Amino acid sequence: MPEENPRNKSSLIPTLVTVIVIALVAGGGYYAWKTFMQSAPEPEPTPVVETPPVPQTSQYASSTMRFSLSYPIDFTLQEPYAYTRVSASKPINGVKFAVPLALTQGTNLAPDSGISVEQLPRASRCSADIYLLANVRATSMTEGATTYSVATSSETKEGETYDEVVYAYPSSSPCIAVRYFMHTTAASTSTTPFNRALVLAAFEEIRRSVVVQPAAAN
Protein backbone atom coordinates (compact mmCIF):
# COMPACT_ATOMS: atom_id res chain seq x y z
CA MET A 1 0.00 0.00 0.00
CA PRO A 2 1.59 3.34 -1.05
CA GLU A 3 2.29 5.94 1.56
CA GLU A 4 0.32 9.26 1.58
CA ASN A 5 2.37 12.14 0.37
CA PRO A 6 2.58 14.78 3.19
CA ARG A 7 2.94 17.51 0.56
CA ASN A 8 -0.48 16.70 -0.90
CA LYS A 9 -2.09 16.78 2.55
CA SER A 10 -0.61 20.14 3.37
CA SER A 11 -1.84 21.59 0.04
CA LEU A 12 -5.43 20.73 0.91
CA ILE A 13 -5.47 22.94 4.00
CA PRO A 14 -5.39 26.33 2.20
CA THR A 15 -8.02 25.08 -0.23
CA LEU A 16 -10.35 24.05 2.59
CA VAL A 17 -9.78 27.36 4.37
CA THR A 18 -10.64 29.25 1.19
CA VAL A 19 -13.84 27.26 0.69
CA ILE A 20 -14.87 27.88 4.30
CA VAL A 21 -14.17 31.61 4.02
CA ILE A 22 -16.19 31.88 0.79
CA ALA A 23 -19.10 29.97 2.39
CA LEU A 24 -19.05 32.24 5.44
CA VAL A 25 -18.95 35.39 3.31
CA ALA A 26 -21.76 34.13 1.08
CA GLY A 27 -23.88 33.11 4.07
CA GLY A 28 -23.29 36.42 5.80
CA GLY A 29 -24.15 38.32 2.63
CA TYR A 30 -27.40 36.37 2.19
CA TYR A 31 -28.35 36.94 5.84
CA ALA A 32 -27.62 40.68 5.56
CA TRP A 33 -29.65 40.92 2.31
CA LYS A 34 -32.59 39.02 3.85
CA THR A 35 -32.49 41.15 7.00
CA PHE A 36 -32.38 44.37 4.95
CA MET A 37 -35.28 43.31 2.73
CA GLN A 38 -37.40 42.36 5.74
CA SER A 39 -36.69 45.55 7.72
CA ALA A 40 -36.69 48.05 4.86
CA PRO A 41 -39.71 50.38 5.12
CA GLU A 42 -42.36 50.29 2.44
CA PRO A 43 -41.94 53.12 -0.07
CA GLU A 44 -44.39 55.96 0.54
CA PRO A 45 -47.11 56.27 -2.11
CA THR A 46 -46.74 59.13 -4.53
CA PRO A 47 -49.25 61.84 -3.60
CA VAL A 48 -52.03 62.25 -6.12
CA VAL A 49 -52.49 65.81 -7.30
CA GLU A 50 -56.20 66.42 -7.79
CA THR A 51 -57.24 68.40 -10.83
CA PRO A 52 -59.55 71.29 -9.93
CA PRO A 53 -63.11 70.59 -11.08
CA VAL A 54 -64.28 72.32 -14.21
CA PRO A 55 -66.72 75.11 -13.30
CA GLN A 56 -70.29 73.99 -13.95
CA THR A 57 -71.73 77.50 -14.02
CA SER A 58 -71.40 80.58 -16.18
CA GLN A 59 -71.50 84.18 -15.04
CA TYR A 60 -73.82 86.84 -16.40
CA ALA A 61 -73.93 90.55 -15.65
CA SER A 62 -75.99 93.41 -17.06
CA SER A 63 -74.77 96.97 -16.70
CA THR A 64 -78.08 98.36 -17.98
CA MET A 65 -80.30 96.31 -15.68
CA ARG A 66 -77.72 96.55 -12.88
CA PHE A 67 -77.59 92.93 -11.72
CA SER A 68 -75.40 89.82 -11.98
CA LEU A 69 -75.91 86.10 -11.44
CA SER A 70 -74.52 82.64 -12.13
CA TYR A 71 -76.38 79.90 -14.00
CA PRO A 72 -75.75 76.24 -14.95
CA ILE A 73 -73.79 75.92 -18.18
CA ASP A 74 -76.43 73.66 -19.71
CA PHE A 75 -79.08 76.41 -19.53
CA THR A 76 -79.45 78.48 -22.70
CA LEU A 77 -78.99 82.23 -22.46
CA GLN A 78 -81.61 84.18 -24.43
CA GLU A 79 -80.77 87.83 -24.89
CA PRO A 80 -82.54 90.03 -25.77
CA TYR A 81 -85.75 88.63 -24.30
CA ALA A 82 -89.23 90.07 -23.76
CA TYR A 83 -92.14 88.64 -21.79
CA THR A 84 -95.43 89.33 -23.60
CA ARG A 85 -98.08 87.40 -21.67
CA VAL A 86 -99.12 90.49 -19.68
CA SER A 87 -99.29 92.72 -22.76
CA ALA A 88 -98.14 92.02 -26.31
CA SER A 89 -97.99 95.74 -27.02
CA LYS A 90 -96.01 96.53 -23.86
CA PRO A 91 -93.49 93.69 -23.43
CA ILE A 92 -91.46 93.34 -20.25
CA ASN A 93 -87.81 93.31 -21.28
CA GLY A 94 -85.12 91.24 -19.66
CA VAL A 95 -82.92 88.19 -20.10
CA LYS A 96 -83.93 84.52 -19.98
CA PHE A 97 -82.19 81.24 -19.20
CA ALA A 98 -84.08 78.40 -20.86
CA VAL A 99 -84.06 74.92 -19.34
CA PRO A 100 -81.71 72.39 -20.96
CA LEU A 101 -82.86 69.64 -23.30
CA ALA A 102 -82.06 67.06 -20.63
CA LEU A 103 -84.95 68.40 -18.52
CA THR A 104 -87.51 68.50 -21.34
CA GLN A 105 -86.74 65.60 -23.68
CA GLY A 106 -89.34 62.86 -23.31
CA THR A 107 -91.31 64.86 -20.76
CA ASN A 108 -94.33 67.16 -20.87
CA LEU A 109 -92.20 70.23 -20.06
CA ALA A 110 -92.07 72.59 -23.02
CA PRO A 111 -88.68 73.95 -24.16
CA ASP A 112 -89.78 77.57 -23.65
CA SER A 113 -89.73 76.97 -19.88
CA GLY A 114 -87.03 78.78 -17.97
CA ILE A 115 -86.08 81.48 -15.52
CA SER A 116 -85.83 85.14 -16.45
CA VAL A 117 -84.77 88.42 -14.92
CA GLU A 118 -86.98 91.29 -16.04
CA GLN A 119 -87.30 95.01 -15.46
CA LEU A 120 -90.17 97.51 -15.33
CA PRO A 121 -88.41 100.90 -15.39
CA ARG A 122 -91.59 102.97 -15.01
CA ALA A 123 -93.18 101.01 -12.15
CA SER A 124 -94.42 103.30 -9.39
CA ARG A 125 -94.06 100.45 -6.90
CA CYS A 126 -91.93 97.34 -7.22
CA SER A 127 -94.26 94.44 -6.50
CA ALA A 128 -94.43 90.92 -7.92
CA ASP A 129 -98.10 91.07 -8.94
CA ILE A 130 -97.47 93.71 -11.62
CA TYR A 131 -95.44 91.11 -13.55
CA LEU A 132 -98.43 88.76 -13.91
CA LEU A 133 -101.58 88.94 -15.99
CA ALA A 134 -103.68 87.15 -13.39
CA ASN A 135 -105.33 89.17 -10.65
CA VAL A 136 -103.16 87.94 -7.78
CA ARG A 137 -101.92 89.41 -4.51
CA ALA A 138 -98.23 89.61 -3.67
CA THR A 139 -96.82 88.56 -0.32
CA SER A 140 -93.57 89.45 1.38
CA MET A 141 -90.84 86.85 1.88
CA THR A 142 -87.44 87.27 3.50
CA GLU A 143 -84.62 84.89 2.74
CA GLY A 144 -81.30 85.67 4.36
CA ALA A 145 -80.62 89.37 3.88
CA THR A 146 -83.01 89.69 0.92
CA THR A 147 -86.68 90.61 1.10
CA TYR A 148 -88.84 89.69 -1.88
CA SER A 149 -92.32 90.52 -3.07
CA VAL A 150 -93.67 87.13 -4.27
CA ALA A 151 -96.68 86.28 -6.43
CA THR A 152 -97.76 83.08 -8.20
CA SER A 153 -100.03 82.28 -11.11
CA SER A 154 -101.29 79.09 -12.78
CA GLU A 155 -103.32 79.02 -15.98
CA THR A 156 -104.53 76.05 -18.02
CA LYS A 157 -105.80 76.63 -21.53
CA GLU A 158 -106.47 74.10 -24.30
CA GLY A 159 -104.60 71.37 -22.49
CA GLU A 160 -101.51 73.48 -21.73
CA THR A 161 -100.59 74.80 -18.30
CA TYR A 162 -98.49 77.85 -17.44
CA ASP A 163 -97.14 77.94 -13.89
CA GLU A 164 -95.33 81.10 -12.85
CA VAL A 165 -93.67 82.44 -9.73
CA VAL A 166 -92.33 86.00 -9.59
CA TYR A 167 -89.82 87.31 -7.05
CA ALA A 168 -89.58 91.11 -7.20
CA TYR A 169 -87.03 93.22 -5.33
CA PRO A 170 -89.08 96.02 -3.66
CA SER A 171 -86.00 98.13 -2.95
CA SER A 172 -84.67 97.96 -6.52
CA SER A 173 -84.88 100.97 -8.79
CA PRO A 174 -85.71 100.45 -11.60
CA CYS A 175 -87.92 97.55 -10.48
CA ILE A 176 -86.31 94.13 -11.09
CA ALA A 177 -87.93 90.71 -10.73
CA VAL A 178 -87.04 87.05 -11.26
CA ARG A 179 -89.65 84.90 -12.99
CA TYR A 180 -89.99 81.10 -12.90
CA PHE A 181 -91.86 79.98 -16.01
CA MET A 182 -92.95 76.35 -16.43
CA HIS A 183 -95.00 75.52 -19.50
CA THR A 184 -96.36 71.97 -19.56
CA THR A 185 -98.40 70.17 -22.18
CA ALA A 186 -101.17 67.63 -21.71
CA ALA A 187 -100.00 64.19 -20.66
CA SER A 188 -99.67 61.65 -23.46
CA THR A 189 -98.36 58.16 -24.03
CA SER A 190 -95.16 59.56 -25.56
CA THR A 191 -94.22 61.76 -22.60
CA THR A 192 -93.71 61.43 -18.87
CA PRO A 193 -94.29 64.08 -16.19
CA PHE A 194 -91.24 66.32 -15.85
CA ASN A 195 -89.13 66.36 -12.70
CA ARG A 196 -90.61 69.46 -11.05
CA ALA A 197 -88.38 69.24 -7.98
CA LEU A 198 -85.23 69.17 -10.13
CA VAL A 199 -86.36 72.12 -12.26
CA LEU A 200 -87.35 74.19 -9.23
CA ALA A 201 -84.03 73.41 -7.51
CA ALA A 202 -82.16 74.75 -10.54
CA PHE A 203 -84.32 77.88 -10.60
CA GLU A 204 -83.77 78.44 -6.88
CA GLU A 205 -80.01 78.17 -7.29
CA ILE A 206 -80.02 80.80 -10.03
CA ARG A 207 -82.32 83.16 -8.11
CA ARG A 208 -80.21 82.96 -4.96
CA SER A 209 -77.13 83.94 -6.96
CA VAL A 210 -78.71 87.18 -8.19
CA VAL A 211 -76.97 90.32 -6.96
CA VAL A 212 -78.90 93.54 -7.59
CA GLN A 213 -76.84 96.70 -7.52
CA PRO A 214 -78.06 99.46 -5.23
CA ALA A 215 -80.17 102.16 -6.81
CA ALA A 216 -78.14 105.03 -8.17
CA ALA A 217 -78.18 108.12 -5.99
CA ASN A 218 -80.07 111.09 -7.39
Side-chain angles (χ1 to χ4, degrees):
M1 182 174 182
E3 295 182 358
E4 183 178 354
N5 190 343
R7 181 178 298 176
N8 292 339
K9 186 174 180 180
S10 63
S11 64
L12 289 175
I13 295 174
T15 302
L16 290 174
V17 171
T18 302
V19 171
I20 292 171
V21 170
I22 292 175
L24 290 174
V25 171
Y30 172 76
Y31 175 79
W33 174 80
K34 187 174 181 181
T35 302
F36 174 78
M37 290 300 293
Q38 289 178 343
S39 61
E42 292 289 333
E44 295 184 1
T46 304
V48 178
V49 179
E50 295 185 359
T51 304
V54 178
Q56 297 299 306
T57 59
S58 292
Q59 304 301 313
Y60 177 86
S62 172
S63 58
T64 55
M65 294 181 63
R66 302 175 61 82
F67 81 92
S68 62
L69 56 74
S70 61
Y71 65 97
I73 58 176
D74 53 354
F75 274 62
T76 302
L77 171 63
Q78 295 180 1
E79 184 185 27
Y81 166 76
Y83 179 85
T84 59
R85 288 180 56 81
V86 172
S87 173
S89 61
K90 297 180 180 180
I92 304 175
N93 296 317
V95 59
K96 183 176 180 178
F97 305 89
V99 294
L101 180 63
L103 293 178
T104 63
Q105 192 170 35
T107 76
N108 65 332
L109 184 66
D112 62 340
S113 301
I115 179 172
S116 57
V117 182
E118 303 164 13
Q119 187 181 73
L120 285 171
R122 297 181 180 86
S124 58
R125 61 182 180 87
C126 193
S127 182
D129 56 292
I130 64 177
Y131 284 86
L132 294 169
L133 177 62
N135 184 18
V136 294
R137 178 175 295 181
T139 60
S140 180
M141 184 191 86
T142 299
E143 186 177 71
T146 305
T147 297
Y148 300 94
S149 170
V150 185
T152 63
S153 172
S154 182
E155 177 190 6
T156 299
K157 185 178 180 180
E158 297 179 355
E160 299 189 357
T161 300
Y162 302 88
D163 290 320
E164 300 180 69
V165 185
V166 174
Y167 294 84
Y169 296 80
S171 61
S172 62
S173 180
C175 180
I176 288 179
V178 174
R179 184 191 306 273
Y180 298 177
F181 182 75
M182 289 174 286
H183 173 198
T184 55
T185 58
S188 68
T189 56
S190 61
T191 61
T192 58
F194 78 102
N195 191 329
R196 181 178 292 268
L198 189 61
V199 172
L200 285 175
F203 288 177
E204 296 279 86
E205 183 179 359
I206 295 173
R207 174 181 60 81
R208 288 171 179 149
S209 74
V210 173
V211 176
V212 178
Q213 297 180 21
N218 295 328

PDB file of all heavy atoms in Angstrom, residues 15-40:
ATOM      1  N   THR A  15      -6.816  25.184   0.614  1.00  0.00           N
ATOM      2  CA  THR A  15      -8.016  25.079  -0.225  1.00  0.00           C
ATOM      3  C   THR A  15      -9.259  24.995   0.644  1.00  0.00           C
ATOM      4  O   THR A  15     -10.271  25.654   0.384  1.00  0.00           O
ATOM      5  CB  THR A  15      -7.921  23.844  -1.122  1.00  0.00           C
ATOM      6  OG1 THR A  15      -6.747  23.959  -1.913  1.00  0.00           O
ATOM      7  CG2 THR A  15      -9.141  23.737  -2.022  1.00  0.00           C
ATOM      8  N   LEU A  16      -9.212  24.175   1.703  1.00  0.00           N
ATOM      9  CA  LEU A  16     -10.349  24.053   2.592  1.00  0.00           C
ATOM     10  C   LEU A  16     -10.643  25.363   3.300  1.00  0.00           C
ATOM     11  O   LEU A  16     -11.797  25.765   3.487  1.00  0.00           O
ATOM     12  CB  LEU A  16     -10.077  22.950   3.631  1.00  0.00           C
ATOM     13  CG  LEU A  16     -10.061  21.520   3.087  1.00  0.00           C
ATOM     14  CD1 LEU A  16      -9.635  20.552   4.185  1.00  0.00           C
ATOM     15  CD2 LEU A  16     -11.434  21.141   2.562  1.00  0.00           C
ATOM     16  N   VAL A  17      -9.604  26.060   3.686  1.00  0.00           N
ATOM     17  CA  VAL A  17      -9.781  27.356   4.366  1.00  0.00           C
ATOM     18  C   VAL A  17     -10.476  28.344   3.428  1.00  0.00           C
ATOM     19  O   VAL A  17     -11.376  29.073   3.816  1.00  0.00           O
ATOM     20  CB  VAL A  17      -8.431  27.906   4.835  1.00  0.00           C
ATOM     21  CG1 VAL A  17      -8.583  29.344   5.346  1.00  0.00           C
ATOM     22  CG2 VAL A  17      -7.861  27.030   5.936  1.00  0.00           C
ATOM     23  N   THR A  18     -10.044  28.330   2.162  1.00  0.00           N
ATOM     24  CA  THR A  18     -10.639  29.248   1.186  1.00  0.00           C
ATOM     25  C   THR A  18     -12.115  28.947   0.992  1.00  0.00           C
ATOM     26  O   THR A  18     -12.959  29.847   0.942  1.00  0.00           O
ATOM     27  CB  THR A  18      -9.906  29.128  -0.154  1.00  0.00           C
ATOM     28  OG1 THR A  18      -8.518  29.430   0.054  1.00  0.00           O
ATOM     29  CG2 THR A  18     -10.502  30.076  -1.187  1.00  0.00           C
ATOM     30  N   VAL A  19     -12.442  27.652   0.880  1.00  0.00           N
ATOM     31  CA  VAL A  19     -13.839  27.264   0.690  1.00  0.00           C
ATOM     32  C   VAL A  19     -14.680  27.698   1.890  1.00  0.00           C
ATOM     33  O   VAL A  19     -15.802  28.212   1.746  1.00  0.00           O
ATOM     34  CB  VAL A  19     -13.947  25.753   0.479  1.00  0.00           C
ATOM     35  CG1 VAL A  19     -15.409  25.307   0.508  1.00  0.00           C
ATOM     36  CG2 VAL A  19     -13.305  25.364  -0.846  1.00  0.00           C
ATOM     37  N   ILE A  20     -14.130  27.503   3.089  1.00  0.00           N
ATOM     38  CA  ILE A  20     -14.874  27.875   4.299  1.00  0.00           C
ATOM     39  C   ILE A  20     -15.109  29.382   4.347  1.00  0.00           C
ATOM     40  O   ILE A  20     -16.193  29.866   4.678  1.00  0.00           O
ATOM     41  CB  ILE A  20     -14.120  27.388   5.552  1.00  0.00           C
ATOM     42  CG1 ILE A  20     -14.134  25.850   5.613  1.00  0.00           C
ATOM     43  CG2 ILE A  20     -14.737  27.968   6.830  1.00  0.00           C
ATOM     44  CD1 ILE A  20     -13.238  25.275   6.701  1.00  0.00           C
ATOM     45  N   VAL A  21     -14.055  30.143   4.010  1.00  0.00           N
ATOM     46  CA  VAL A  21     -14.172  31.614   4.022  1.00  0.00           C
ATOM     47  C   VAL A  21     -15.230  32.070   3.035  1.00  0.00           C
ATOM     48  O   VAL A  21     -16.063  32.924   3.330  1.00  0.00           O
ATOM     49  CB  VAL A  21     -12.811  32.264   3.725  1.00  0.00           C
ATOM     50  CG1 VAL A  21     -12.987  33.770   3.492  1.00  0.00           C
ATOM     51  CG2 VAL A  21     -11.850  32.006   4.874  1.00  0.00           C
ATOM     52  N   ILE A  22     -15.211  31.499   1.826  1.00  0.00           N
ATOM     53  CA  ILE A  22     -16.194  31.881   0.794  1.00  0.00           C
ATOM     54  C   ILE A  22     -17.601  31.566   1.279  1.00  0.00           C
ATOM     55  O   ILE A  22     -18.540  32.349   1.110  1.00  0.00           O
ATOM     56  CB  ILE A  22     -15.882  31.163  -0.516  1.00  0.00           C
ATOM     57  CG1 ILE A  22     -14.572  31.702  -1.101  1.00  0.00           C
ATOM     58  CG2 ILE A  22     -17.045  31.350  -1.517  1.00  0.00           C
ATOM     59  CD1 ILE A  22     -14.120  30.960  -2.341  1.00  0.00           C
ATOM     60  N   ALA A  23     -17.770  30.362   1.899  1.00  0.00           N
ATOM     61  CA  ALA A  23     -19.096  29.972   2.395  1.00  0.00           C
ATOM     62  C   ALA A  23     -19.579  30.922   3.477  1.00  0.00           C
ATOM     63  O   ALA A  23     -20.758  31.308   3.523  1.00  0.00           O
ATOM     64  CB  ALA A  23     -19.049  28.546   2.925  1.00  0.00           C
ATOM     65  N   LEU A  24     -18.657  31.320   4.374  1.00  0.00           N
ATOM     66  CA  LEU A  24     -19.051  32.243   5.438  1.00  0.00           C
ATOM     67  C   LEU A  24     -19.454  33.613   4.878  1.00  0.00           C
ATOM     68  O   LEU A  24     -20.433  34.219   5.303  1.00  0.00           O
ATOM     69  CB  LEU A  24     -17.904  32.393   6.451  1.00  0.00           C
ATOM     70  CG  LEU A  24     -17.618  31.172   7.334  1.00  0.00           C
ATOM     71  CD1 LEU A  24     -16.363  31.398   8.174  1.00  0.00           C
ATOM     72  CD2 LEU A  24     -18.820  30.873   8.236  1.00  0.00           C
ATOM     73  N   VAL A  25     -18.654  34.078   3.907  1.00  0.00           N
ATOM     74  CA  VAL A  25     -18.948  35.386   3.313  1.00  0.00           C
ATOM     75  C   VAL A  25     -20.285  35.354   2.589  1.00  0.00           C
ATOM     76  O   VAL A  25     -21.114  36.250   2.713  1.00  0.00           O
ATOM     77  CB  VAL A  25     -17.822  35.807   2.361  1.00  0.00           C
ATOM     78  CG1 VAL A  25     -18.219  37.056   1.562  1.00  0.00           C
ATOM     79  CG2 VAL A  25     -16.537  36.059   3.144  1.00  0.00           C
ATOM     80  N   ALA A  26     -20.503  34.250   1.814  1.00  0.00           N
ATOM     81  CA  ALA A  26     -21.757  34.128   1.083  1.00  0.00           C
ATOM     82  C   ALA A  26     -22.946  34.038   2.042  1.00  0.00           C
ATOM     83  O   ALA A  26     -23.987  34.659   1.852  1.00  0.00           O
ATOM     84  CB  ALA A  26     -21.724  32.911   0.165  1.00  0.00           C
ATOM     85  N   GLY A  27     -22.794  33.250   3.104  1.00  0.00           N
ATOM     86  CA  GLY A  27     -23.880  33.114   4.068  1.00  0.00           C
ATOM     87  C   GLY A  27     -24.166  34.424   4.775  1.00  0.00           C
ATOM     88  O   GLY A  27     -25.315  34.800   4.987  1.00  0.00           O
ATOM     89  N   GLY A  28     -23.090  35.126   5.142  1.00  0.00           N
ATOM     90  CA  GLY A  28     -23.292  36.416   5.797  1.00  0.00           C
ATOM     91  C   GLY A  28     -23.946  37.432   4.876  1.00  0.00           C
ATOM     92  O   GLY A  28     -24.806  38.201   5.284  1.00  0.00           O
ATOM     93  N   GLY A  29     -23.541  37.401   3.602  1.00  0.00           N
ATOM     94  CA  GLY A  29     -24.150  38.323   2.634  1.00  0.00           C
ATOM     95  C   GLY A  29     -25.626  38.038   2.451  1.00  0.00           C
ATOM     96  O   GLY A  29     -26.446  38.954   2.372  1.00  0.00           O
ATOM     97  N   TYR A  30     -25.991  36.741   2.362  1.00  0.00           N
ATOM     98  CA  TYR A  30     -27.400  36.375   2.186  1.00  0.00           C
ATOM     99  C   TYR A  30     -28.216  36.791   3.405  1.00  0.00           C
ATOM    100  O   TYR A  30     -29.321  37.323   3.291  1.00  0.00           O
ATOM    101  CB  TYR A  30     -27.512  34.866   1.977  1.00  0.00           C
ATOM    102  CG  TYR A  30     -28.943  34.364   1.983  1.00  0.00           C
ATOM    103  CD1 TYR A  30     -29.771  34.580   0.869  1.00  0.00           C
ATOM    104  CD2 TYR A  30     -29.463  33.712   3.097  1.00  0.00           C
ATOM    105  CE1 TYR A  30     -31.075  34.139   0.880  1.00  0.00           C
ATOM    106  CE2 TYR A  30     -30.771  33.266   3.103  1.00  0.00           C
ATOM    107  CZ  TYR A  30     -31.582  33.470   1.992  1.00  0.00           C
ATOM    108  OH  TYR A  30     -32.875  33.039   1.999  1.00  0.00           O
ATOM    109  N   TYR A  31     -27.643  36.575   4.611  1.00  0.00           N
ATOM    110  CA  TYR A  31     -28.350  36.939   5.835  1.00  0.00           C
ATOM    111  C   TYR A  31     -28.563  38.448   5.902  1.00  0.00           C
ATOM    112  O   TYR A  31     -29.641  38.929   6.255  1.00  0.00           O
ATOM    113  CB  TYR A  31     -27.551  36.456   7.050  1.00  0.00           C
ATOM    114  CG  TYR A  31     -28.152  36.897   8.372  1.00  0.00           C
ATOM    115  CD1 TYR A  31     -29.254  36.223   8.901  1.00  0.00           C
ATOM    116  CD2 TYR A  31     -27.618  37.984   9.071  1.00  0.00           C
ATOM    117  CE1 TYR A  31     -29.814  36.624  10.104  1.00  0.00           C
ATOM    118  CE2 TYR A  31     -28.180  38.384  10.266  1.00  0.00           C
ATOM    119  CZ  TYR A  31     -29.285  37.697  10.787  1.00  0.00           C
ATOM    120  OH  TYR A  31     -29.823  38.096  11.974  1.00  0.00           O
ATOM    121  N   ALA A  32     -27.504  39.221   5.534  1.00  0.00           N
ATOM    122  CA  ALA A  32     -27.623  40.683   5.562  1.00  0.00           C
ATOM    123  C   ALA A  32     -28.666  41.151   4.559  1.00  0.00           C
ATOM    124  O   ALA A  32     -29.457  42.048   4.834  1.00  0.00           O
ATOM    125  CB  ALA A  32     -26.254  41.303   5.261  1.00  0.00           C
ATOM    126  N   TRP A  33     -28.668  40.530   3.347  1.00  0.00           N
ATOM    127  CA  TRP A  33     -29.652  40.916   2.314  1.00  0.00           C
ATOM    128  C   TRP A  33     -31.074  40.612   2.782  1.00  0.00           C
ATOM    129  O   TRP A  33     -31.975  41.428   2.639  1.00  0.00           O
ATOM    130  CB  TRP A  33     -29.348  40.130   1.041  1.00  0.00           C
ATOM    131  CG  TRP A  33     -30.399  40.339  -0.035  1.00  0.00           C
ATOM    132  CD1 TRP A  33     -30.526  41.371  -0.879  1.00  0.00           C
ATOM    133  CD2 TRP A  33     -31.472  39.444  -0.329  1.00  0.00           C
ATOM    134  NE1 TRP A  33     -31.610  41.211  -1.702  1.00  0.00           N
ATOM    135  CE2 TRP A  33     -32.212  40.028  -1.393  1.00  0.00           C
ATOM    136  CE3 TRP A  33     -31.889  38.198   0.195  1.00  0.00           C
ATOM    137  CZ2 TRP A  33     -33.327  39.414  -1.924  1.00  0.00           C
ATOM    138  CZ3 TRP A  33     -33.000  37.602  -0.352  1.00  0.00           C
ATOM    139  CH2 TRP A  33     -33.716  38.197  -1.401  1.00  0.00           C
ATOM    140  N   LYS A  34     -31.254  39.409   3.379  1.00  0.00           N
ATOM    141  CA  LYS A  34     -32.585  39.019   3.848  1.00  0.00           C
ATOM    142  C   LYS A  34     -33.050  39.932   4.969  1.00  0.00           C
ATOM    143  O   LYS A  34     -34.207  40.366   5.017  1.00  0.00           O
ATOM    144  CB  LYS A  34     -32.547  37.568   4.327  1.00  0.00           C
ATOM    145  CG  LYS A  34     -33.931  37.022   4.684  1.00  0.00           C
ATOM    146  CD  LYS A  34     -33.867  35.545   5.018  1.00  0.00           C
ATOM    147  CE  LYS A  34     -35.249  35.012   5.349  1.00  0.00           C
ATOM    148  NZ  LYS A  34     -35.199  33.570   5.703  1.00  0.00           N
ATOM    149  N   THR A  35     -32.140  40.274   5.888  1.00  0.00           N
ATOM    150  CA  THR A  35     -32.493  41.150   6.997  1.00  0.00           C
ATOM    151  C   THR A  35     -32.874  42.534   6.490  1.00  0.00           C
ATOM    152  O   THR A  35     -33.841  43.152   6.926  1.00  0.00           O
ATOM    153  CB  THR A  35     -31.320  41.261   7.982  1.00  0.00           C
ATOM    154  OG1 THR A  35     -30.983  39.957   8.453  1.00  0.00           O
ATOM    155  CG2 THR A  35     -31.684  42.172   9.162  1.00  0.00           C
ATOM    156  N   PHE A  36     -32.092  43.045   5.508  1.00  0.00           N
ATOM    157  CA  PHE A  36     -32.375  44.366   4.954  1.00  0.00           C
ATOM    158  C   PHE A  36     -33.721  44.402   4.248  1.00  0.00           C
ATOM    159  O   PHE A  36     -34.507  45.329   4.416  1.00  0.00           O
ATOM    160  CB  PHE A  36     -31.258  44.758   3.978  1.00  0.00           C
ATOM    161  CG  PHE A  36     -31.539  46.032   3.243  1.00  0.00           C
ATOM    162  CD1 PHE A  36     -31.355  47.269   3.851  1.00  0.00           C
ATOM    163  CD2 PHE A  36     -32.015  45.987   1.930  1.00  0.00           C
ATOM    164  CE1 PHE A  36     -31.624  48.440   3.160  1.00  0.00           C
ATOM    165  CE2 PHE A  36     -32.293  47.158   1.250  1.00  0.00           C
ATOM    166  CZ  PHE A  36     -32.087  48.393   1.861  1.00  0.00           C
ATOM    167  N   MET A  37     -34.019  43.357   3.483  1.00  0.00           N
ATOM    168  CA  MET A  37     -35.281  43.315   2.735  1.00  0.00           C
ATOM    169  C   MET A  37     -36.470  43.229   3.669  1.00  0.00           C
ATOM    170  O   MET A  37     -37.537  43.770   3.407  1.00  0.00           O
ATOM    171  CB  MET A  37     -35.288  42.122   1.768  1.00  0.00           C
ATOM    172  CG  MET A  37     -34.317  42.291   0.607  1.00  0.00           C
ATOM    173  SD  MET A  37     -34.657  43.742  -0.399  1.00  0.00           S
ATOM    174  CE  MET A  37     -36.227  43.283  -1.112  1.00  0.00           C
ATOM    175  N   GLN A  38     -36.296  42.506   4.812  1.00  0.00           N
ATOM    176  CA  GLN A  38     -37.403  42.364   5.742  1.00  0.00           C
ATOM    177  C   GLN A  38     -37.633  43.634   6.560  1.00  0.00           C
ATOM    178  O   GLN A  38     -38.757  43.957   6.922  1.00  0.00           O
ATOM    179  CB  GLN A  38     -37.153  41.188   6.680  1.00  0.00           C
ATOM    180  CG  GLN A  38     -37.269  39.834   5.988  1.00  0.00           C
ATOM    181  CD  GLN A  38     -36.964  38.692   6.931  1.00  0.00           C
ATOM    182  OE1 GLN A  38     -36.378  38.887   7.999  1.00  0.00           O
ATOM    183  NE2 GLN A  38     -37.347  37.485   6.530  1.00  0.00           N
ATOM    184  N   SER A  39     -36.559  44.381   6.855  1.00  0.00           N
ATOM    185  CA  SER A  39     -36.689  45.548   7.717  1.00  0.00           C
ATOM    186  C   SER A  39     -36.827  46.855   6.947  1.00  0.00           C
ATOM    187  O   SER A  39     -37.124  47.878   7.540  1.00  0.00           O
ATOM    188  CB  SER A  39     -35.466  45.637   8.642  1.00  0.00           C
ATOM    189  OG  SER A  39     -34.284  45.775   7.864  1.00  0.00           O
ATOM    190  N   ALA A  40     -36.595  46.814   5.642  1.00  0.00           N
ATOM    191  CA  ALA A  40     -36.689  48.052   4.864  1.00  0.00           C
ATOM    192  C   ALA A  40     -38.127  48.559   4.857  1.00  0.00           C
ATOM    193  O   ALA A  40     -39.060  47.789   4.655  1.00  0.00           O
ATOM    194  CB  ALA A  40     -36.212  47.804   3.433  1.00  0.00           C
TER     195      ALA A  40
END
